[in-house]
Amino acid sequence: MEAILATGERGPRERMVFSAAQLIRRDGVTATGLREVADHAGAPRGSLQHYFPGGKEQLVNEAVEWAGRYASDRIARFTAAMARPTPGRLFAAMVRQWTEEFEATGFDRGCPVAAATVDCADSVASTRTAAAAAFAAWRQPITRELTAMGVPPRKATALATLMVSSLEGAILLARAEQSVRPLRTVARELTPYLDSHAPENPT
C-alpha cells in the first residue's frame, strides 16, 4: 500500500493523510503522534494546524476515509484483471493483496480502518462514523461487482459483508500468528460458497 504514493508526488496535505494511514495501520491511533505524521510525510510540522484545524481527530478521520476509498478502488481493478470474474475469484484477489504484502514486508501493518475502529469506537464518535463509512465504501463496489456477476442484489449485499468481515478477521489472525495461513484458509473455504451464488459458475 505504501508504494502507491511516493512522498514527492503529492502536496503536504495529501502526504500527511497518507502517512497517518500508514502509521495507524502499524501503531494504532493512540501511538500515532502528529509530529510522527509530519516527519513521515516530509512536511513542516507547522503545517498540521493549517491543514487540520480539527487536530489529530480530523487527521485520523481523513486517513480512515482515504483507506476506505483505496479499498473501494481496488475492487474494480481486481475484477477488471479477471478474464472470467466470479465471487470467489474476487475474494481470492482481495486476500492475495494481503498475503503478498505480509510475505514481502512482514506482519507489522494491518488495516488502518480496523485499527481506528479498535482504538476509537468507544471514545470518538466522529472516528467511529468515519470507520463505518469507510467499511461501507468498501462493501458497495463489492456488492456492485457481485450483482454484475449475477448474484441477486440482497444476497450480494450479504456476501459483501461476509467477504469484508472474513478478510478483516483473517488479517488479524495472520498478524497474531505471524503467518499467512489464516488468509489462505478463508480464501479456500469461502470460494466454493461464494461461487455457488453466481449463475453459470465456471469450473
Side-chain angles (χ1 to χ4, degrees), residues 96-200:
R96 187 164 54 249
Q97 175 186 356
W98 284 95
T99 301
E100 291 175 350
E101 176 175 337
F102 285 152
E103 289 180 331
T105 63
F107 297 86
D108 63 327
R109 299 179 185 186
C111 171
V113 183
T117 302
V118 170
D119 278 5
C120 300
D122 292 334
S123 59
V124 184
S126 67
T127 301
R128 180 174 63 250
T129 299
F135 281 127
W138 190 6
R139 293 196 305 269
Q140 286 167 1
I142 298 174
T143 300
R144 184 172 59 248
E145 294 295 345
L146 294 179
T147 302
M149 295 173 197
V151 178
R154 289 183 64 183
K155 178 57 68 172
T157 299
L159 292 183
T161 297
L162 176 65
M163 291 162 72
V164 170
S165 301
S166 299
L167 178 55
E168 287 287 2
I171 291 168
L172 182 63
L173 285 172
R175 294 187 72 194
E177 297 176 5
Q178 298 285 286
S179 169
V180 298
R181 189 178 301 109
L183 288 160
R184 289 176 174 161
T185 298
V186 294
R188 182 181 65 249
E189 296 299 324
L190 275 185
T191 289
Y193 176 74
L194 295 170
D195 282 344
S196 71
H197 294 284
E200 301 181 3

Side-chain angles (χ1 to χ4, degrees), residues 61-72:
N61 293 351
E62 293 197 25
V64 167
E65 291 166 3
W66 174 88
R69 291 194 302 272
Y70 173 82
S72 174

